[in-house]
C-alpha cells in the first residue's frame, strides 16, 4: 500500500463520514421548526430521529457480514445511495407519518457506513498511523455535524424554512456520492474486498448465527466497548440535538446565535479529534479516553447549572470535544481486540452501541426536556460522563496490556 493510496482511502472514508453525520443530525438544528410545522412535540420529532437510529442498529450486523464476506465498497455504495434517497424524502415529507418513514429510509443509508469505513481504514493504514487514520475519520464525522448546523444557520438567515435546510444537506451529500463512488471503484481489490482466506466458506446458517452471537457476547472487552459506545453516544446525541435549547432556554440566546455557537462547538470538537488521535498514538488509548470522559462530566455539570455568566457561555465550545477527543482511542481499542477477519462484524457490534444511543437518546431526552426542563437533562449528561469514566476503568482492568500501550505489538 503506497502512501498516496493510503491517503486516498483515508480521505474518501473521512469524506463519507462527513456526509453520514450531516444526514444523522439533519433534523437537529431545526427540531423546533419541524415540530411546529407538523403540530407535534419536540419529543415526537426526537422519536423520528430515534426511528432512524433504530434502523441503523438493526442493520449493523447484516452490513458487517456483507463487508467481511463480500465487499466493503459495495456496502459503502448502498449506504450513499439509500442515504441520498432518505434525505430527499425527509425534505419532501408532507406529514408526520411520512417523516417517520423517510427517517427509516435514511437509517438504511446511514447503517452501512461504519461497517464499510473501519475495515477500509484498518486495511489501508499502517499500525503506526492507525490512531491518526481513525482520528481523521472521526474528524470527518464531527465536521458533518457542524455542516448541518452551518447550513441551518445560513438558510435561517435568508428567511427560508426547515425543508430548505434539509434540501441543502441533500445536495451536499449527493454531490459527494457522485465523486466518491468512481474513486472507490478504483481502489485495489485487496482494499475493496476481504482476502479470500478471510471470507466465510459457506452461507450463514441459523446455527452459525447463534454460535457467532454467543462468541461475541462472551467477549467482555467487546461488549464493554459496545456499552461504552452506547453511553457516550447518548450523551453526544443530547449535546448535538439539544444544546440549542440549552442556550436559548437556559441562557436566553436567540435561536440563530445558538445554532452558530453549536456549529462552532462542533468544529472545535472536530479539532479535538485530531488531538485525540495524536495522543492515542503517543500515550495510549486508555489514558485519552479517561481524560475525555472526566472532562465531559465536569463541563456538563457546570453548564447544567444555568449560572454561567453570559460572557462566559462560550465555554460550551469544548463541550462536544470532550467526547470527540476519546473517539480515536475507542476505535483503537476495538481494533486491538479484533482479528483481521472479524473487523467488520466487531466494529458493527460497537456501532450497535452507538446506534442504540442514537435511537434512545433523542426521544428520551426530548421527553425529559418537556417534563423536567433542559437543565435537568444536561445534568443527566454529566451522570453519563461519570458512568463512561467508571466503565472505561473497569474495561482497562480486564483487557490485555495493549489497551494501555501507545503502539500494539506485532502479536496484537
Amino acid at each position: 500500500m503506497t502512501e498516496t493510496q493510503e491517503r486516498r482511502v483515508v480521505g474518501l472514508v473521512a469524506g463519507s463520514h462527513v456526509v453520514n453525520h450531516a444526514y444523522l443530525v439533519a433534523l437537529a438544528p431545526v427540531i423546533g421548526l419541524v415540530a411546529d410545522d407538523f403540530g407535534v412535540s419536540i419529543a415526537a420529532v426526537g422519536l423520528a430521529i430515534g426511528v432512524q437510529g433504530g434502523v441503523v442498529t438493526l442493520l449493523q450486523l447484516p452490513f458487517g457480514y456483507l463487508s467481511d464476506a463480500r465487499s466493503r465498497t459495495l456496502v459503502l455504495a448502498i449506504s450513499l445511495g439509500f442515504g441520498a434517497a432518505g434525505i430527499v424524502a425527509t425534505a419532501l415529507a408532507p406529514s408526520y407519518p411520512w417523516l417517520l418513514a423517510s427517517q427509516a429510509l435514511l437509517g438504511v443509508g446511514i447503517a452501512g457506513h461504519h461497517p464499510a469505513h473501519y475495515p477500509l481504514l484498518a486495511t489501508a493504514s499502517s499500525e503506526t498511523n492507525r490512531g491518526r487514520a481513525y482520528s481523521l475519520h472521526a474528524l470527518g464525522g464531527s465536521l458533518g455535524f457542524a455542516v448541518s448546523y452551518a447550513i441551518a444557520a445560513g438558510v435561517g438567515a435568508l428567511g427560508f424554512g426547515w425543508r430548505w435546510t434539509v434540501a441543502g444537506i441533500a445536495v451536499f451529500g449527493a454531490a459527494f456520492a457522485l465523486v466518491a463512488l468512481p474513486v472507490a471503484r478504483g481502489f485495489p481489490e485487496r482494499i475493496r474486498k476481504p482476502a479470500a482466506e478471510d471470507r466465510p466458506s459457506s452461507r450463514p446458517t441459523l446455527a452459525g448465527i447463534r454460535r457467532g452471537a454467543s462468541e461475541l457476547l462472551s467477549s467482555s472487552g467487546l461488549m464493554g466497548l459496545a456499552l461504552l459506545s452506547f453511553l457516550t453516544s447518548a450523551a453526544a446525541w443530547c449535546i448535538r440535538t439539544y444544546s440549542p435549547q440549552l442556550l436559548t432556554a437556559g441562557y436566553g440566546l436567540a435561536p440563530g446565535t445558538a445554532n452558530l455557537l453549536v456549529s462552532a462547538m462542533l468544529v472545535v470538537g472536530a479539532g479535538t479529534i485530531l488531538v485525540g488521535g495524536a495522543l492515542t498514538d503517543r500515550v495510549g488509548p486508555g489514558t485519552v479516553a479517561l481524560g475525555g470522559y472526566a472532562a465531559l462530566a465536569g463541563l456538563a455539570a457546570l453548564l447544567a447549572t444555568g449560572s454561567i455568566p453570559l460572557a462566559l457561555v462560550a465555554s460550551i465550545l469544548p463541550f462536544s470535544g470532550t467526547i470527540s477527543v476519546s473517539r480515536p482511542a475507542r476505535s483503537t481499542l476495538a481494533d486491538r481486540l479484533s482479528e483481521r477477519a472479524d473487523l467488520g462484524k466487531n466494529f458493527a457490534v460497537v456501532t450497535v452501541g452507538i446506534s442504540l444511543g442514537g435511537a434512545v437518546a433523542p426521544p428520551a431526552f426530548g421527553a425529559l426536556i418537556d417534563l423536567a426542563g433542559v437543565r435537568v437533562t444536561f445534568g443527566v449528561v454529566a451522570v453519563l460522563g461519570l458512568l463512561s469514566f467508571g466503565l472505561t476503568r473497569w474495561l482497562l482492568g480486564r483487557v490485555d496490556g495493549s489497551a494501555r500501550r501507545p503502539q500494539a505489538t506485532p502479536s496484537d
Side-chain angles (χ1 to χ4, degrees), residues 19 23 80 84 87 168-178:
V19 172
Y23 289 167
L80 289 171
I87 196 69
I169 296 169
V171 170
F172 173 75
F176 175 83
L178 290 174

Side-chain angles (χ1 to χ4, degrees), residues 17-19 21-23 25 139-149 172:
H17 212 200
V18 173
V19 172
H21 281 201
Y23 289 167
V25 297
L139 169 66
S142 285
L143 289 176
F145 293 139
V147 162
S148 290
Y149 279 94
F172 173 75

